[in-house]
Coordinates of all heavy atoms in Angstrom, one line a residue:
M1 N 13.8 -1.1 10.2 CA 13.2 -2.4 10.0 C 14.3 -3.4 9.9 O 15.2 -3.3 9.0 CB 12.3 -2.4 8.8 CG 11.6 -3.8 8.6 SD 10.4 -3.8 7.3 CE 9.2 -2.6 7.9
N2 N 14.3 -4.5 10.7 CA 15.3 -5.5 10.5 C 14.9 -6.6 9.5 O 13.8 -6.6 9.1 CB 15.7 -6.1 11.9 CG 14.6 -6.8 12.6 OD1 13.9 -7.6 11.9 ND2 14.4 -6.6 13.9
A3 N 15.8 -7.5 9.2 CA 15.6 -8.5 8.2 C 14.5 -9.4 8.6 O 13.7 -9.9 7.7 CB 16.9 -9.3 8.0
A4 N 14.3 -9.7 9.9 CA 13.2 -10.6 10.3 C 11.9 -10.0 10.0 O 10.9 -10.8 9.7 CB 13.4 -10.9 11.8
D5 N 11.7 -8.7 10.1 CA 10.4 -8.1 9.9 C 10.0 -8.2 8.4 O 8.8 -8.1 8.1 CB 10.5 -6.6 10.2 CG 10.5 -6.4 11.7 OD1 10.1 -7.3 12.5 OD2 11.0 -5.3 12.2
T6 N 11.0 -8.3 7.5 CA 10.6 -8.4 6.1 C 9.7 -9.6 5.8 O 9.0 -9.6 4.8 CB 11.8 -8.4 5.2 OG1 12.6 -9.5 5.4 CG2 12.6 -7.1 5.3
N7 N 9.9 -10.7 6.6 CA 9.1 -11.9 6.3 C 8.1 -12.2 7.3 O 7.4 -13.2 7.3 CB 10.1 -13.1 6.3 CG 11.1 -13.0 5.1 OD1 10.7 -12.6 4.0 ND2 12.3 -13.4 5.3
T8 N 7.9 -11.3 8.3 CA 6.9 -11.5 9.4 C 5.5 -11.1 8.9 O 5.4 -9.9 8.5 CB 7.3 -10.7 10.6 OG1 8.6 -11.1 11.1 CG2 6.3 -10.9 11.8
L9 N 4.6 -12.0 8.9 CA 3.2 -11.7 8.5 C 2.6 -10.7 9.5 O 2.9 -10.9 10.7 CB 2.4 -12.9 8.4 CG 2.7 -13.9 7.2 CD1 1.9 -15.1 7.3 CD2 2.6 -13.2 5.9
I10 N 1.8 -9.8 9.0 CA 1.1 -8.9 10.0 C 0.0 -9.7 10.6 O -0.7 -10.5 10.0 CB 0.7 -7.6 9.4 CG1 -0.3 -7.8 8.2 CG2 1.9 -6.8 8.9 CD1 -0.8 -6.5 7.7
D11 N -0.3 -9.4 11.9 CA -1.4 -10.1 12.6 C -2.7 -9.5 12.2 O -2.8 -8.5 11.5 CB -1.1 -10.1 14.1 CG -1.1 -8.7 14.7 OD1 -1.6 -7.8 14.1 OD2 -0.5 -8.6 15.8
E12 N -3.8 -10.1 12.7 CA -5.1 -9.7 12.3 C -5.4 -8.3 12.8 O -6.0 -7.5 12.1 CB -6.1 -10.7 13.0 CG -7.5 -10.5 12.4 CD -8.5 -11.6 13.0 OE1 -8.1 -12.7 13.1 OE2 -9.6 -11.2 13.2
R13 N -4.9 -7.9 14.0 CA -5.1 -6.6 14.5 C -4.4 -5.5 13.7 O -4.9 -4.5 13.3 CB -4.7 -6.5 16.0 CG -5.0 -5.1 16.6 CD -4.8 -5.2 18.1 NE -5.3 -4.0 18.7 CZ -4.5 -2.9 19.0 NH1 -3.2 -3.0 18.7 NH2 -5.0 -1.9 19.6
G14 N -3.1 -5.9 13.3 CA -2.3 -5.0 12.5 C -3.0 -4.8 11.1 O -3.0 -3.7 10.6
L15 N -3.5 -5.9 10.6 CA -4.2 -5.8 9.3 C -5.4 -4.9 9.3 O -5.6 -4.1 8.5 CB -4.6 -7.2 8.8 CG -5.2 -7.3 7.4 CD1 -4.3 -6.8 6.3 CD2 -5.7 -8.7 7.1
S16 N -6.2 -5.1 10.4 CA -7.4 -4.2 10.6 C -7.0 -2.8 10.7 O -7.6 -1.9 10.0 CB -8.1 -4.7 11.8 OG -9.2 -3.9 12.0
K17 N -6.0 -2.4 11.4 CA -5.5 -1.1 11.6 C -5.0 -0.5 10.2 O -5.2 0.6 9.9 CB -4.4 -1.0 12.6 CG -4.9 -1.2 14.0 CD -3.8 -1.3 15.0 CE -3.3 0.1 15.5 NZ -2.4 0.0 16.6
L18 N -4.3 -1.4 9.5 CA -3.8 -1.0 8.2 C -4.9 -0.7 7.2 O -4.9 0.3 6.5 CB -2.8 -2.1 7.6 CG -2.1 -1.7 6.4 CD1 -1.1 -0.5 6.6 CD2 -1.2 -2.9 6.0
K19 N -5.9 -1.5 7.2 CA -7.1 -1.3 6.3 C -7.8 0.0 6.7 O -8.1 0.8 5.8 CB -8.1 -2.4 6.4 CG -7.6 -3.7 5.7 CD -8.7 -4.7 5.8 CE -8.4 -6.0 5.1 NZ -9.5 -7.0 5.2
W20 N -7.9 0.3 7.9 CA -8.5 1.6 8.4 C -7.7 2.7 7.9 O -8.2 3.7 7.4 CB -8.7 1.6 9.9 CG -9.3 2.8 10.3 CD1 -8.7 3.9 10.9 CD2 -10.7 3.2 10.2 NE1 -9.7 4.9 11.2 CE2 -10.9 4.5 10.8 CE3 -11.9 2.5 9.8 CZ2 -12.1 5.1 10.9 CZ3 -13.1 3.1 9.8 CH2 -13.2 4.4 10.4
R21 N -6.4 2.6 8.0 CA -5.5 3.7 7.6 C -5.5 3.9 6.1 O -5.3 5.0 5.6 CB -4.1 3.4 8.0 CG -3.1 4.5 7.6 CD -2.2 4.9 8.8 NE -1.5 6.1 8.5 CZ -0.3 6.1 7.8 NH1 0.3 5.0 7.4 NH2 0.3 7.3 7.6
C22 N -5.9 2.9 5.3 CA -5.9 3.0 3.9 C -7.1 3.6 3.3 O -7.2 3.7 2.1 CB -5.6 1.6 3.3 SG -3.9 1.1 3.5
R23 N -8.1 3.9 4.1 CA -9.3 4.5 3.6 C -9.0 5.8 3.0 O -8.3 6.7 3.6 CB -10.4 4.6 4.7 CG -10.8 3.2 5.2 CD -11.8 3.4 6.3 NE -13.0 4.1 5.8 CZ -13.9 4.6 6.6 NH1 -13.8 4.4 7.9 NH2 -14.9 5.2 6.1
R24 N -9.5 6.1 1.7 CA -9.2 7.3 1.0 C -10.4 8.0 0.6 O -11.5 7.5 0.6 CB -8.4 6.9 -0.3 CG -7.1 6.1 0.0 CD -6.1 6.7 0.9 NE -5.6 7.9 0.3 CZ -4.5 8.6 0.7 NH1 -3.9 8.1 1.8 NH2 -4.1 9.6 0.2
G25 N -10.2 9.3 0.3 CA -11.3 10.1 -0.2 C -11.6 10.0 -1.7 O -12.7 10.4 -2.1
L26 N -10.7 9.5 -2.4 CA -10.8 9.4 -3.9 C -11.2 7.9 -4.2 O -10.5 7.0 -3.9 CB -9.5 9.8 -4.5 CG -9.5 10.0 -6.0 CD1 -10.4 11.2 -6.4 CD2 -8.1 10.4 -6.5
L27 N -12.4 7.8 -4.9 CA -12.9 6.4 -5.2 C -11.9 5.6 -5.9 O -11.7 4.4 -5.6 CB -14.2 6.6 -6.0 CG -14.8 5.3 -6.4 CD1 -15.2 4.4 -5.3 CD2 -16.0 5.5 -7.3
E28 N -11.2 6.2 -6.9 CA -10.2 5.4 -7.7 C -9.2 4.8 -6.8 O -8.8 3.6 -7.0 CB -9.6 6.3 -8.7 CG -10.5 6.7 -9.8 CD -11.3 8.0 -9.5 OE1 -11.3 8.4 -8.3 OE2 -11.9 8.5 -10.4
N29 N -8.7 5.5 -5.8 CA -7.7 5.0 -4.9 C -8.3 3.8 -4.1 O -7.7 2.8 -3.9 CB -7.2 6.1 -4.0 CG -6.2 7.0 -4.6 OD1 -5.7 6.7 -5.7 ND2 -6.0 8.1 -4.0
D30 N -9.5 4.0 -3.6 CA -10.2 3.0 -2.8 C -10.3 1.7 -3.6 O -10.2 0.6 -3.1 CB -11.5 3.4 -2.3 CG -11.5 4.3 -1.0 OD1 -10.5 4.2 -0.3 OD2 -12.4 5.0 -0.8
L31 N -10.6 1.8 -4.9 CA -10.8 0.6 -5.7 C -9.4 -0.1 -5.9 O -9.4 -1.4 -5.8 CB -11.3 1.0 -7.1 CG -12.7 1.6 -7.1 CD1 -13.1 2.0 -8.5 CD2 -13.7 0.5 -6.5
F32 N -8.3 0.6 -6.1 CA -7.0 0.0 -6.1 C -6.7 -0.7 -4.8 O -6.2 -1.9 -4.8 CB -5.9 1.0 -6.4 CG -5.6 1.3 -7.8 CD1 -6.2 2.4 -8.5 CD2 -4.8 0.4 -8.5 CE1 -5.8 2.6 -9.8 CE2 -4.5 0.7 -9.9 CZ -5.0 1.8 -10.5
I33 N -6.9 -0.1 -3.7 CA -6.6 -0.6 -2.4 C -7.5 -1.8 -2.0 O -7.0 -2.8 -1.5 CB -6.6 0.6 -1.4 CG1 -5.5 1.6 -1.7 CG2 -6.5 0.0 0.1 CD1 -5.7 2.9 -0.9
E34 N -8.7 -1.7 -2.3 CA -9.7 -2.8 -2.1 C -9.2 -4.1 -2.8 O -9.2 -5.2 -2.3 CB -11.1 -2.4 -2.5 CG -12.1 -3.5 -2.2 CD -13.5 -3.0 -2.7 OE1 -13.9 -1.9 -2.3 OE2 -14.1 -3.8 -3.4
R35 N -8.9 -3.9 -4.1 CA -8.4 -5.0 -4.9 C -7.1 -5.6 -4.3 O -6.9 -6.8 -4.2 CB -8.2 -4.6 -6.3 CG -7.7 -5.7 -7.3 CD -7.5 -5.3 -8.7 NE -6.3 -4.4 -8.7 CZ -6.0 -3.6 -9.7 NH1 -6.8 -3.5 -10.8 NH2 -4.9 -2.9 -9.7
F36 N -6.2 -4.7 -3.9 CA -4.9 -5.1 -3.2 C -5.2 -6.0 -2.0 O -4.6 -7.1 -1.9 CB -4.2 -3.8 -2.8 CG -3.0 -4.1 -2.0 CD1 -1.7 -4.4 -2.6 CD2 -3.0 -3.9 -0.6 CE1 -0.6 -4.6 -1.8 CE2 -1.9 -4.1 0.2 CZ -0.7 -4.5 -0.4
F37 N -6.1 -5.6 -1.1 CA -6.3 -6.3 0.1 C -7.0 -7.7 -0.3 O -6.7 -8.7 0.3 CB -7.2 -5.6 1.1 CG -6.3 -4.6 1.9 CD1 -6.5 -3.2 1.8 CD2 -5.3 -5.1 2.8 CE1 -5.7 -2.4 2.6 CE2 -4.6 -4.2 3.5 CZ -4.8 -2.9 3.4
K38 N -7.9 -7.7 -1.2 CA -8.6 -8.9 -1.6 C -7.5 -10.0 -2.1 O -7.7 -11.2 -1.8 CB -9.6 -8.7 -2.7 CG -10.9 -8.2 -2.2 CD -11.9 -8.0 -3.4 CE -13.2 -7.4 -2.9 NZ -14.2 -7.2 -4.0
R39 N -6.6 -9.5 -2.8 CA -5.5 -10.4 -3.3 C -4.5 -10.8 -2.4 O -4.0 -11.9 -2.4 CB -4.9 -9.8 -4.5 CG -5.7 -9.7 -5.7 CD -4.8 -9.1 -6.8 NE -5.6 -9.0 -8.1 CZ -5.2 -8.3 -9.1 NH1 -4.1 -7.7 -9.1 NH2 -6.0 -8.2 -10.2
H40 N -4.0 -9.9 -1.5 CA -2.8 -10.1 -0.8 C -2.9 -10.1 0.7 O -1.9 -10.3 1.4 CB -1.8 -9.0 -1.2 CG -1.5 -8.9 -2.6 ND1 -0.8 -9.8 -3.3 CD2 -1.9 -7.9 -3.6 CE1 -0.7 -9.5 -4.6 NE2 -1.4 -8.4 -4.8
E41 N -4.1 -9.9 1.3 CA -4.1 -9.7 2.7 C -3.6 -10.9 3.5 O -3.0 -10.7 4.6 CB -5.5 -9.3 3.2 CG -6.6 -10.3 3.2 CD -7.9 -9.8 3.7 OE1 -8.3 -8.7 3.3 OE2 -8.5 -10.5 4.5
G42 N -3.7 -12.1 3.0 CA -3.2 -13.2 3.8 C -1.7 -13.4 3.7 O -1.2 -14.2 4.5
A43 N -1.1 -12.6 2.8 CA 0.4 -12.8 2.7 C 1.2 -11.5 3.0 O 2.4 -11.5 2.7 CB 0.7 -13.3 1.3
L44 N 0.5 -10.5 3.5 CA 1.2 -9.2 3.8 C 2.1 -9.4 5.0 O 1.8 -9.9 6.0 CB 0.2 -8.1 4.0 CG -0.7 -7.7 2.9 CD1 -1.7 -6.6 3.3 CD2 0.2 -7.2 1.7
T45 N 3.3 -8.8 4.8 CA 4.3 -8.8 5.8 C 4.5 -7.4 6.4 O 3.9 -6.5 5.9 CB 5.7 -9.3 5.3 OG1 6.1 -8.3 4.3 CG2 5.6 -10.7 4.6
E46 N 5.3 -7.3 7.5 CA 5.6 -6.0 8.0 C 6.3 -5.1 7.0 O 6.1 -3.9 7.0 CB 6.4 -6.1 9.3 CG 5.7 -6.7 10.5 CD 4.5 -5.9 10.9 OE1 4.5 -4.7 10.8 OE2 3.5 -6.5 11.5
F47 N 7.0 -5.7 6.1 CA 7.7 -5.0 5.0 C 6.7 -4.3 4.1 O 6.8 -3.2 3.8 CB 8.6 -6.0 4.2 CG 9.2 -5.5 3.0 CD1 10.4 -4.7 3.1 CD2 8.8 -5.8 1.8 CE1 11.0 -4.2 2.0 CE2 9.4 -5.3 0.6 CZ 10.5 -4.5 0.8
H48 N 5.7 -5.1 3.7 CA 4.6 -4.5 2.9 C 3.8 -3.5 3.6 O 3.5 -2.4 3.1 CB 3.6 -5.6 2.4 CG 4.3 -6.7 1.6 ND1 4.3 -8.0 1.9 CD2 5.0 -6.6 0.4 CE1 4.9 -8.7 1.0 NE2 5.3 -7.9 0.1
A49 N 3.5 -3.8 4.9 CA 2.7 -2.8 5.7 C 3.4 -1.5 5.8 O 2.8 -0.4 5.7 CB 2.5 -3.4 7.1
E50 N 4.7 -1.5 6.0 CA 5.5 -0.2 6.1 C 5.5 0.5 4.7 O 5.3 1.7 4.7 CB 6.9 -0.5 6.6 CG 7.7 0.8 6.8 CD 7.0 1.8 7.7 OE1 6.3 1.4 8.7 OE2 7.3 3.0 7.5
G51 N 5.6 -0.2 3.6 CA 5.5 0.5 2.3 C 4.2 1.1 2.1 O 4.1 2.2 1.6
L52 N 3.1 0.4 2.5 CA 1.8 0.9 2.4 C 1.6 2.1 3.2 O 0.9 3.1 2.8 CB 0.8 -0.2 2.7 CG -0.6 -0.1 2.2 CD1 -0.7 0.3 0.7 CD2 -1.4 -1.3 2.5
R53 N 2.1 2.1 4.5 CA 2.0 3.2 5.3 C 2.6 4.5 4.7 O 2.1 5.6 4.8 CB 2.6 2.9 6.7 CG 1.8 2.0 7.6 CD 2.4 1.8 8.9 NE 1.9 0.6 9.5 CZ 2.6 -0.5 9.6 NH1 3.9 -0.6 9.2 NH2 2.1 -1.6 10.2
Q54 N 3.8 4.3 4.1 CA 4.5 5.4 3.5 C 3.6 6.0 2.4 O 3.5 7.2 2.2 CB 5.8 5.0 2.9 CG 6.8 4.5 3.9 CD 7.2 5.7 4.9 OE1 7.5 6.8 4.4 NE2 7.2 5.4 6.2
L55 N 3.0 5.1 1.6 CA 2.1 5.6 0.5 C 0.9 6.3 1.0 O 0.4 7.3 0.4 CB 1.7 4.4 -0.4 CG 2.8 3.8 -1.3 CD1 2.4 2.5 -1.9 CD2 3.3 4.8 -2.3
M56 N 0.4 5.9 2.1 CA -0.9 6.5 2.7 C -0.6 7.9 3.2 O -1.6 8.6 3.4 CB -1.5 5.6 3.7 CG -2.0 4.3 3.2 SD -3.2 4.5 1.9 CE -2.3 3.8 0.5
D57 N 0.6 8.3 3.4 CA 1.0 9.6 3.8 C 0.8 10.6 2.6 O 0.9 11.8 2.9 CB 2.4 9.7 4.4 CG 2.5 9.1 5.8 OD1 1.4 8.9 6.4 OD2 3.6 8.8 6.2
L58 N 0.7 10.1 1.4 CA 0.6 11.0 0.3 C -0.8 11.6 0.1 O -1.8 11.0 0.6 CB 0.9 10.2 -1.0 CG 2.3 9.7 -1.1 CD1 2.4 8.8 -2.3 CD2 3.3 10.8 -1.2
S59 N -1.0 12.6 -0.7 CA -2.3 13.1 -1.0 C -2.9 12.1 -2.0 O -2.2 11.3 -2.6 CB -2.2 14.5 -1.7 OG -1.6 14.4 -3.0
D60 N -4.2 12.2 -2.1 CA -5.0 11.3 -3.0 C -4.5 11.4 -4.4 O -4.3 10.4 -5.1 CB -6.5 11.5 -2.9 CG -7.1 10.9 -1.7 OD1 -6.6 9.9 -1.2 OD2 -8.2 11.4 -1.3
N61 N -4.2 12.6 -4.9 CA -3.8 12.7 -6.3 C -2.4 12.2 -6.5 O -2.1 11.6 -7.6 CB -3.9 14.2 -6.7 CG -5.4 14.6 -6.9 OD1 -6.2 13.8 -7.2 ND2 -5.6 15.9 -6.7
D62 N -1.5 12.4 -5.6 CA -0.1 11.9 -5.7 C -0.1 10.4 -5.6 O 0.6 9.7 -6.4 CB 0.8 12.5 -4.6 CG 1.1 13.9 -4.8 OD1 1.0 14.4 -6.0 OD2 1.5 14.6 -3.9
L63 N -1.0 9.8 -4.8 CA -1.1 8.4 -4.7 C -1.6 7.8 -6.0 O -1.1 6.8 -6.5 CB -2.0 8.0 -3.5 CG -2.2 6.5 -3.3 CD1 -0.9 5.7 -3.1 CD2 -3.2 6.3 -2.1
L64 N -2.6 8.4 -6.5 CA -3.2 7.9 -7.8 C -2.2 7.9 -8.9 O -2.1 7.0 -9.7 CB -4.5 8.7 -8.1 CG -5.2 8.2 -9.4 CD1 -5.7 6.7 -9.2 CD2 -6.4 9.1 -9.7
D65 N -1.4 9.0 -9.0 CA -0.4 9.1 -10.0 C 0.6 8.0 -9.9 O 1.1 7.4 -10.9 CB 0.4 10.5 -9.9 CG -0.4 11.6 -10.5 OD1 -1.4 11.4 -11.2 OD2 -0.1 12.8 -10.2
L66 N 1.0 7.6 -8.7 CA 1.9 6.5 -8.5 C 1.3 5.1 -8.9 O 1.9 4.3 -9.6 CB 2.4 6.4 -7.0 CG 3.4 7.5 -6.6 CD1 3.6 7.4 -5.1 CD2 4.7 7.3 -7.4
M67 N 0.0 4.9 -8.5 CA -0.6 3.7 -8.8 C -0.9 3.5 -10.3 O -0.9 2.4 -10.8 CB -1.9 3.5 -8.0 CG -1.7 3.3 -6.5 SD -3.1 2.8 -5.5 CE -4.1 4.2 -5.5
L68 N -1.1 4.6 -11.0 CA -1.3 4.5 -12.4 C 0.0 4.6 -13.2 O 0.0 4.6 -14.4 CB -2.3 5.7 -12.9 CG -3.7 5.6 -12.4 CD1 -4.5 6.8 -12.8 CD2 -4.4 4.3 -12.9
A69 N 1.1 4.6 -12.5 CA 2.4 4.7 -13.1 C 2.6 6.0 -13.9 O 3.4 6.0 -14.8 CB 2.7 3.5 -13.9
R70 N 1.9 7.0 -13.5 CA 2.2 8.3 -14.2 C 3.5 8.9 -13.6 O 4.1 9.7 -14.2 CB 1.1 9.3 -13.9 CG -0.2 8.9 -14.5 CD -1.3 10.0 -14.1 NE -2.6 9.6 -14.6 CZ -3.7 10.0 -14.0 NH1 -3.7 10.9 -13.0 NH2 -4.9 9.6 -14.4
K71 N 3.8 8.5 -12.4 CA 5.0 8.9 -11.7 C 5.6 7.7 -11.0 O 5.0 6.7 -10.8 CB 4.7 9.9 -10.6 CG 4.2 11.3 -11.1 CD 4.0 12.2 -9.9 CE 3.4 13.5 -10.4 NZ 3.1 14.4 -9.3
E72 N 6.9 7.8 -10.6 CA 7.6 6.8 -9.9 C 8.0 7.4 -8.5 O 8.2 8.6 -8.4 CB 8.8 6.3 -10.7 CG 8.5 5.5 -11.9 CD 7.7 4.2 -11.6 OE1 7.9 3.5 -10.6 OE2 6.8 3.9 -12.5
P73 N 8.2 6.5 -7.5 CA 8.6 7.0 -6.2 C 9.9 7.7 -6.3 O 10.8 7.3 -6.9 CB 8.7 5.8 -5.4 CG 7.9 4.7 -6.1 CD 8.0 5.1 -7.5
A74 N 10.0 8.9 -5.7 CA 11.2 9.7 -5.6 C 11.5 10.1 -4.2 O 10.6 10.1 -3.4 CB 11.1 10.8 -6.6
G75 N 12.7 10.5 -4.0 CA 13.1 11.0 -2.7 C 12.9 10.0 -1.6 O 13.4 8.9 -1.7
E76 N 12.2 10.4 -0.5 CA 12.0 9.5 0.6 C 11.2 8.3 0.3 O 11.2 7.3 1.0 CB 11.4 10.2 1.8 CG 12.3 11.3 2.4 CD 11.6 12.0 3.6 OE1 10.6 11.6 4.0 OE2 12.2 13.0 4.0
L77 N 10.4 8.3 -0.8 CA 9.6 7.2 -1.2 C 10.3 6.2 -2.1 O 9.8 5.1 -2.4 CB 8.4 7.7 -2.0 CG 7.2 8.3 -1.1 CD1 6.1 8.7 -2.0 CD2 6.7 7.3 -0.1
D78 N 11.5 6.5 -2.5 CA 12.3 5.6 -3.3 C 13.0 4.5 -2.5 O 14.1 4.6 -2.2 CB 13.3 6.4 -4.1 CG 14.0 5.6 -5.2 OD1 13.6 4.4 -5.5 OD2 15.0 6.1 -5.8
R79 N 12.1 3.6 -2.0 CA 12.5 2.6 -1.0 C 12.0 1.2 -1.5 O 11.0 1.1 -2.2 CB 11.9 2.8 0.3 CG 12.0 4.2 0.9 CD 11.0 4.5 2.0 NE 10.5 3.4 2.8 CZ 10.4 3.5 4.1 NH1 10.6 4.6 4.7 NH2 10.0 2.4 4.8
P80 N 12.7 0.1 -1.2 CA 12.3 -1.2 -1.6 C 10.8 -1.6 -1.2 O 10.1 -2.2 -2.0 CB 13.3 -2.1 -1.0 CG 14.5 -1.3 -0.7 CD 14.0 0.1 -0.5
D81 N 10.4 -1.2 0.0 CA 9.1 -1.6 0.5 C 8.0 -0.9 -0.3 O 7.0 -1.4 -0.7 CB 8.9 -1.4 2.0 CG 9.3 0.0 2.5 OD1 9.8 0.8 1.7 OD2 9.1 0.3 3.7
V82 N 8.2 0.4 -0.6 CA 7.3 1.2 -1.4 C 7.2 0.6 -2.8 O 6.1 0.4 -3.4 CB 7.6 2.7 -1.4 CG1 6.8 3.5 -2.4 CG2 7.5 3.3 0.0
H83 N 8.3 0.3 -3.4 CA 8.3 -0.2 -4.8 C 7.6 -1.6 -4.8 O 6.9 -1.9 -5.8 CB 9.8 -0.4 -5.3 CG 10.4 0.9 -5.8 ND1 10.1 1.5 -7.0 CD2 11.2 1.7 -5.1 CE1 10.8 2.6 -7.1 NE2 11.5 2.8 -6.0
A84 N 7.8 -2.4 -3.8 CA 7.2 -3.7 -3.8 C 5.7 -3.6 -3.7 O 4.9 -4.3 -4.4 CB 7.7 -4.5 -2.6
V85 N 5.2 -2.7 -2.8 CA 3.7 -2.5 -2.7 C 3.1 -1.9 -3.9 O 2.1 -2.3 -4.4 CB 3.4 -1.6 -1.4 CG1 2.0 -1.2 -1.4 CG2 3.8 -2.4 -0.2
L86 N 3.8 -1.0 -4.5 CA 3.3 -0.4 -5.8 C 3.2 -1.4 -6.9 O 2.2 -1.4 -7.6 CB 4.3 0.8 -6.3 CG 3.9 2.1 -5.8 CD1 5.0 3.1 -6.3 CD2 2.5 2.6 -6.2
A87 N 4.2 -2.3 -7.0 CA 4.1 -3.4 -8.0 C 2.8 -4.2 -7.7 O 2.1 -4.6 -8.6 CB 5.3 -4.2 -7.9
M88 N 2.5 -4.5 -6.5 CA 1.3 -5.3 -6.1 C 0.1 -4.5 -6.4 O -0.9 -5.1 -6.9 CB 1.4 -5.7 -4.6 CG 2.5 -6.6 -4.3 SD 2.9 -6.6 -2.5 CE 1.7 -7.8 -1.9
L89 N 0.1 -3.2 -6.1 CA -1.1 -2.3 -6.4 C -1.3 -2.2 -7.9 O -2.5 -2.1 -8.3 CB -0.9 -1.0 -5.8 CG -1.1 -0.9 -4.3 CD1 -0.5 0.4 -3.8 CD2 -2.6 -0.9 -4.0
R90 N -0.3 -2.2 -8.7 CA -0.4 -1.9 -10.1 C -0.8 -3.2 -10.9 O -1.1 -3.1 -12.1 CB 0.9 -1.4 -10.7 CG 1.2 0.0 -10.2 CD 2.6 0.4 -10.7 NE 2.9 1.8 -10.4 CZ 4.1 2.3 -10.5 NH1 5.1 1.6 -11.0 NH2 4.3 3.6 -10.2
T91 N -0.7 -4.3 -10.3 CA -1.0 -5.6 -11.0 C -2.4 -5.6 -11.4 O -3.3 -5.5 -10.6 CB -0.6 -6.8 -10.1 OG1 0.7 -6.7 -9.7 CG2 -0.9 -8.1 -10.9
P92 N -2.7 -5.7 -12.8 CA -4.1 -5.8 -13.2 C -4.8 -7.0 -12.8 O -4.1 -8.0 -12.4 CB -4.0 -5.7 -14.7 CG -2.6 -6.1 -15.1 CD -1.7 -5.9 -13.9
Q93 N -6.1 -7.0 -12.8 CA -6.9 -8.1 -12.4 C -6.5 -9.3 -13.3 O -6.5 -10.4 -13.0 CB -8.4 -7.8 -12.5 CG -8.8 -6.8 -11.6 CD -10.3 -6.5 -11.7 OE1 -10.9 -6.8 -12.7 NE2 -10.9 -5.8 -10.8

């Protein structure tokens, strides 16, 4: 990802695809993600979208552990975009 992508807002089609990809089997995860989109969908950039895509590759339980701050991103997930999205997901109402 180049520097320009970090500030490029995702378009409506990209947002729709991202929302579809974020559908989860665990209700708790869906609630976090639904709140995330309600708050941030108008300001999401390609940088955020890539961080969210990385998180969506996780199992539901691993994702929940990260969102509840039971764990922190490690290995391939220890990236600025993932940390930024997690901070947004963890922000209480």
Side-chain angles (χ1 to χ4, degrees):
M1 179 175 300
N2 64 44
D5 289 339
T6 61
N7 295 323
T8 304
L9 292 175
I10 60 175
D11 61 22
E12 192 173 322
R13 185 169 188 266
L15 181 62
S16 178
K17 290 171 84 173
L18 188 60
K19 284 182 176 181
W20 180 258
R21 179 131 194 273
C22 289
R23 295 178 59 193
R24 306 302 293 194
L26 194 61
L27 176 62
E28 291 85 348
N29 286 343
D30 277 338
L31 295 174
F32 270 100
I33 294 165
E34 181 180 311
R35 183 179 71 192
F36 170 84
F37 279 116
K38 280 184 182 177
R39 288 185 180 165
H40 303 292
E41 73 180 43
L44 291 178
T45 64
E46 291 297 332
F47 176 77
H48 297 122
E50 184 56 31
L52 199 50
R53 286 183 201 105
Q54 294 297 315
L55 289 169
M56 292 305 111
D57 286 341
L58 297 172
S59 72
D60 279 336
N61 290 331
D62 288 340
L63 178 59
L64 185 60
D65 284 344
L66 286 171
M67 289 194 291
L68 293 175
R70 293 180 190 155
K71 295 181 181 176
E72 291 299 322
E76 292 181 12
L77 284 179
D78 191 8
R79 310 161 31 138
D81 52 355
V82 170
H83 283 279
V85 170
L86 268 179
M88 295 163 81
L89 283 162
R90 290 175 174 171
T91 304
Q93 294 179 343

